[in-house]
Amino acid sequence: MNKITAAITAVGAYVPDYVLTNSILETLVDTNDEWITTRTGIKERRILKDDAKGTSYLAIKAAQDLINKSNIDPLEIDLVLVATATADMLVASTGAYVATEIGATNAFSYDLQSACSSFLFGMSTAAAYIESGRYKKVLLIGADKMSSIVDYTDRATCIIFGDGAGAVLFEPNNEGLGLQDEYLRTDGEGREFLKMTAGGSLFPASFETVRDNQHNIMQDGKTVFKYAVTNMADACETILKNNNLTNNDVQWLVPHQANKRIIDAIANRMNLEDSKVLMNIERYGNTTSATLPLVLSDFEHLFKKGDTIIFAAFGGGFSWGSIYLKWAYDKK
Ligand code: UT7
C-alpha cells in the first residue's frame, strides 16, 4: 500500500489596506528610507488600523479567500490550525472563533505558537494528521497582527513588522507529492533575545509591566540576525543532504521574510540563483506567522506540479527549521 503523503492543495491570503511606508516611519522614529531599505529590504508594511479587530479578522479573511478560490465546502474541513504569536486572547483559542466564523462547524481547532516558526511547525502538525489517515482536510492559517505588540517608538522593531495572514489546505495525496521531510529545532537559551516579556503566567499584566513597556516585542537584533542566518542555512543544508538533493534539484526557496540580508545569506550558502529565492518582504515586512503562506500566495502562479520547494524559518524561542515539499498542482 502506498504511504499517504500530505499535500498543499489550495492557498489563500489577506493583508489589510493601510500601507505603512518607510517615509511615514521617518516621522515616528529616528530612521530613514535608505537605512531601512539597505539594512532590511523593507519598503512598506500593511497595518490593521481598526482597534476593534484582532488577528482572527486577518485569519478569517485569508481562510475565506482560500475557500472562495478553491470552492471547498467549509463543512468538510476536519481541523483548523491557527499559527500565531498574537492570538486574539490567551484564552480562548483564536482557532475556535475562526473555525466558527468561516463555517467550519464540523471541525475542531486550536492555536499553535512558536513565534516566527509557528507556520513552519504548523505544516509539520497539519501533515502528520493527514499522513496518519485520521483526517482528510486540515486548514492551516498563519496570521499575526504584529502592530498590536509593536512599540512605535522603538526603531529596532517598528521598522520590521507588519500585519497579514495566509492559509493553506492540506489533503492526502497518493502520488507521493506534498511534505517529504523536515528538520525542526528549538533552543530555549534564545528566549532572552526575542520576546514579549509580560502578559503571560511569568509576568502577568500589572501596573508595573505596563509602565515598564513590557507588553511589546523586544529583540536584540544583532544576536537574532546571527542565529537566524546560521541556523536557517544549516537547516536547509541538512534537509538537502538528508534527501540527496543538490541546489539544482531545488526549484524554489520559500524563506521566512525577516530581513532580505538574512535571506540572501541563506541563498548564498545554498548556492541558489536569485530567481529561485522568493521574496515579498519589500511590500509586507515581517508578518511573523504569515510570511510563508503570503509568499506561497504571491508566487503560486509560478509553481508547477512536482516542483521541489524548500521552506525555512527562524524565530523567537529560538525556534527554526526547514521543510522539503513537492508541490502538488498546476494553477488553473
Ligand atoms: O523573525 C525573526 C525576528 N527578527 C529578525 O530576524 C531580525 C534580525 N535582525 C535584524 O534584522 C537586524 O539586526 C536589524 C534590522 C534589526 C538591525 O540591523 P543591524 O544591521 O543589525 O543594525 P544594528 O542594530 O547593528 O545597528 C547598526 C546601526 C547602529 O548605529 P551605530 O551604533 O552604528 O551608530 C544603530 O543605532 O544602525 C542604527 N540603527 C538604525 N538607524 C536608522 C538601528 N536601527 C535603526 C533604524 N534606523 N531603524
Side-chain angles (χ1 to χ4, degrees):
M1 203 177 81
N2 280 352
K3 181 177 174 282
I4 302 169
T5 49
I8 292 177
T9 57
V11 177
Y14 176 75
V15 288
D17 293 335
Y18 180 80
V19 179
L20 178 61
T21 60
N22 289 350
S23 56
I24 297 172
L25 284 171
E26 285 177 13
T27 67
L28 303 177
V29 288
D30 180 15
T31 191
N32 57 78
D33 174 53
E34 205 260 328
W35 192 95
I36 301 174
T37 307
T38 53
R39 304 309 290 169
T40 71
I42 302 168
K43 282 287 187 190
E44 56 191 45
R45 322 104 191 101
R46 299 302 184 96
I47 303 294
L48 180 56
K49 274 293 188 185
D50 189 339
D51 286 343
K53 294 187 169 84
T55 292
S56 61
Y57 178 82
L58 304 166
I60 289 164
K61 288 281 196 187
Q64 286 169 338
D65 183 49
L66 181 149
I67 289 165
N68 292 339
K69 285 200 286 212
S70 62
N71 280 324
I72 67 155
D73 180 351
L75 292 172
E76 289 175 9
I77 298 172
D78 300 304
L79 167 60
V80 177
L81 294 170
V82 175
T84 184
T86 53
D88 280 7
M89 300 179 265
L90 284 182
V91 182
S93 88
T94 303
Y97 181 69
V98 170
T100 299
E101 289 297 306
I102 63 172
T105 49
N106 291 321
F108 73 111
S109 54
Y110 58 94
D111 299 351
L112 274 164
Q113 204 281 91
S114 190
C116 292
S117 306
S118 301
F119 187 87
L120 188 82
F121 290 6
M123 288 174 69
S124 169
T125 311
Y129 276 115
I130 298 288
E131 288 159 3
S132 74
R134 200 182 294 187
Y135 300 113
K136 298 267 184 292
K137 283 185 168 47
V138 177
L139 181 66
L140 171 65
I141 306 168
D144 268 303
K145 185 184 176 187
M146 291 306 292
S147 60
S148 66
I149 58 166
V150 164
D151 174 359
Y152 285 95
T153 66
D154 173 15
R155 68 179 183 173
T157 50
C158 75
I159 56 143
I160 296 174
F161 293 104
D163 301 339
V168 298
L169 186 70
F170 275 92
E171 292 186 90
N173 184 282
N174 54 19
E175 297 177 283
L177 301 170
L179 197 146
Q180 306 293 308
D181 196 15
E182 63 188 33
Y183 176 86
L184 309 175
R185 290 292 183 273
T186 52
D187 177 1
E189 298 283 329
R191 84 166 169 177
E192 288 312 309
F193 302 109
L194 178 54
K195 61 180 175 180
M196 189 180 97
T197 307
S201 58
L202 193 55
F203 298 103
S206 66
F207 169 78
E208 286 77 18
T209 61
V210 173
R211 181 196 62 200
D212 298 341
N213 198 19
Q214 293 180 318
H215 292 272
N216 289 313
I217 188 162
M218 314 290 280
Q219 69 168 348
D220 172 347
K222 257 191 174 19
T223 304
V224 177
F225 187 98
K226 197 178 76 190
Y227 280 94
V229 169
T230 310
N231 288 332
M232 270 199 282
D234 285 352
C236 290
E237 263 181 19
T238 303
I239 207 97
L240 292 188
K241 189 164 153 277
N242 289 353
N243 291 280
N244 296 317
L245 298 171
T246 70
N247 55 343
N248 292 326
D249 299 314
V250 176
Q251 273 73 50
W252 311 106
L253 175 68
V254 175
H256 174 50
Q257 311 281 302
N259 185 317
K260 182 175 184 301
R261 287 187 296 136
I262 296 177
I263 298 171
D264 288 342
I266 298 162
N268 217 11
R269 273 266 306 269
M270 292 172 75
N271 207 8
L272 280 186
E273 50 262 54
D274 289 352
S275 58
K276 293 181 173 181
V277 182
L278 302 181
M279 274 191 252
N280 55 16
I281 188 168
E282 186 177 326
R283 286 180 292 135
Y284 306 136
N286 181 351
T287 54
T288 302
S289 312
T291 60
L292 299 181
L294 280 176
V295 169
L296 290 181
S297 174
D298 279 357
F299 296 98
E300 186 191 12
H301 61 283
L302 297 178
F303 302 156
K304 296 270 172 295
K305 188 174 173 181
D307 277 0
T308 288
I309 304 183
I310 302 295
F311 293 79
F314 181 88
F318 290 136
S319 57
W320 70 95
S322 178
I323 283 181
Y324 161 31
L325 177 136
K326 279 187 188 289
W327 196 248
Y329 62 95
D330 296 317
K331 193 161 186 249
K332 286 165 218 105

